[in-house]
């Protein structure tokens, strides 16, 4: 038995290394190609600066400028994602539990996804004035649908035999939700939050771009007006790093929850 486990661990090690280094290798190849194209002069630097030049500019801005603009965007994205989740989770549970609610609310939930964020932004300014509140509301509207749908699908995918066994053990009501349904559907919930936060960052940037306020969106607008291509790329890099960091953290939490559920199933 021990030899089998050891052999399985050795078999998993190459896959783990490949999973860790494959994105790094792909990124290095892409950066090398980008650098060579930019240095060749085939594309003017105004349109495509070299990655090395973007890195230098990023190091110059990272000390204070970018951080002072990143912090408000990140806070608005987090607040919007949490607000969207606070609305989506109870409504999703209602849709899961009640066929009548699913039929009645389904068209309106789908319609909420069809509304473009850029079209909503001016209306939110009229209704809520300028500031962080309309941007947070815009983020919440953008993340609401994917979180709700992932949550509902996760609940509907629960093993009926496990649920029946929990009911036979006496679980019911709020205890059944908190101790059985939520833990079992936690991987799906984390997947929805991971997708939702990425969209929430997009919503925050769009909101700042349209509504104003200090943040990465307003920095993009200012640098776009001045033709500062290197500066635009540095903001894009920061946005990618922010989204990637959250994606990795929530992805690790999702894998850990699946591992925990597998051990206790």
């Amino acid at each position: 038995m021990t030899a089998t486990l050891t052999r399985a661990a050795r078999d998993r090690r190459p896959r783990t290394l490949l999973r860790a280094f494959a994105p790094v290798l792909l990124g290095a190849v892409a950066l090398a190609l980008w650098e060579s194209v930019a240095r060749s002069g085939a594309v003017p630097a105004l349109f495509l600066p070299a990655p090395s030049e973007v890195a230098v500019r990023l190091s110059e801005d990272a000390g204070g400028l970018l951080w002072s603009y990143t912090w408000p965007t990140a806070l608005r994205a987090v607040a919007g994602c949490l607000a969207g989740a606070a609305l989506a989770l109870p409504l999703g549970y209602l849709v899961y539990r009640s066929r009548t609610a699913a039929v009645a609310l389904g068209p309106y939930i789908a319609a909420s996804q069809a509304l473009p964020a850029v079209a909503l932004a001016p209306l939110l300014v009229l209704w809520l004035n300028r500031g962080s509140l309309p941007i947070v509301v815009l983020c919440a509207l953008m993340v609401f649908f994917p979180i709700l749908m992932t949550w509902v699908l996760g609940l509907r995918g629960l093993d009926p035999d496990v649920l029946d066994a929990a009911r036979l053990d006496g679980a019911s009501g709020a205890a059944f939700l908190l101790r059985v349904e939520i833990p079992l559907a936690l991987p799906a919930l984390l997947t929805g939050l991971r997708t939702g936060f990425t969209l929430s960052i997009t919503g925050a940037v769009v909101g700042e771009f349209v509504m104003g306020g200090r943040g990465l969106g307003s920095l993009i607008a200012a640098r776009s007006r001045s033709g500062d291509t290197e500066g635009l790329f540095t903001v894009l890099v920061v946005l990618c790093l922010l989204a990637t960091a959250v994606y990795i953290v929530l992805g690790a939490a999702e894998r850990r929850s699946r591992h925990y559920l597998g051990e206790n199933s």
Side-chain angles (χ1 to χ4, degrees):
M1 182 68 175
T2 303
T4 303
L5 292 175
T6 304
R7 188 162 54 252
R10 283 200 304 266
D11 292 340
R12 282 197 302 269
R13 193 175 305 160
R15 292 197 297 270
T16 303
L17 292 175
L18 179 62
R19 191 182 299 116
F21 287 106
V24 177
L25 180 61
L26 180 61
V29 171
L31 287 174
L33 290 173
W34 177 7
E35 183 79 22
S36 62
V37 170
R39 293 294 181 186
S40 69
V43 181
L46 176 64
F47 299 110
L48 187 68
S52 56
E53 296 171 350
V54 174
V56 171
R57 178 66 180 276
L58 184 62
S59 66
E60 293 173 353
D61 289 349
L65 179 63
L66 280 177
W67 173 249
S68 65
Y69 281 87
T70 302
W71 184 241
T73 301
L75 282 179
R76 289 164 184 151
V78 170
C81 188
L82 293 177
L87 178 62
L89 296 184
L91 191 60
Y93 191 75
L94 177 63
V95 168
Y96 160 67
R97 278 293 187 181
S98 169
R99 185 177 296 274
T100 302
V103 172
L105 296 173
Y108 300 101
I109 293 172
S112 71
Q113 178 67 7
L115 295 173
V118 177
L120 283 174
L123 286 173
L124 292 175
V125 171
L126 289 174
W127 294 337
L128 302 174
N129 242 330
R130 293 187 178 272
S132 292
L133 179 59
I135 299 175
V136 170
V137 171
L138 180 64
C139 295
L141 292 173
M142 289 186 69
V143 307
F144 166 77
F145 185 79
I147 292 178
L148 181 142
M149 292 307 298
T150 310
W151 173 234
V152 172
L153 290 174
L155 288 169
R156 287 176 177 170
L158 298 181
D159 189 342
D161 293 335
V162 175
L163 300 181
D164 291 340
R167 291 189 184 97
L168 289 174
D169 287 339
S172 62
F176 185 75
L177 170 64
L178 295 175
R179 297 180 183 177
V180 180
E181 290 177 311
I182 289 180
L184 290 176
L186 185 59
L189 174 59
L190 292 174
T191 299
L193 291 176
R194 182 170 54 174
T195 304
F197 187 81
T198 305
L199 288 173
S200 190
I201 293 175
T202 303
V205 171
V206 170
E208 292 161 357
F209 194 89
V210 176
M211 306 177 202
R214 190 177 185 86
L216 293 176
S218 59
L219 188 59
I220 289 175
R223 291 182 172 181
S224 177
R225 286 192 295 267
S226 63
D228 184 2
T229 313
E230 288 181 11
L232 286 172
F233 270 95
T234 61
V235 179
L236 294 177
V237 169
V238 171
L239 286 171
C240 289
L241 291 175
L242 183 60
T244 301
V246 174
Y247 190 88
I248 290 174
V249 170
L250 289 179
E254 178 190 343
R255 289 191 297 273
R256 193 172 184 83
S257 66
R258 291 184 187 277
H259 178 70
Y260 175 79
L261 291 174
E263 286 183 343
N264 290 273
S265 60

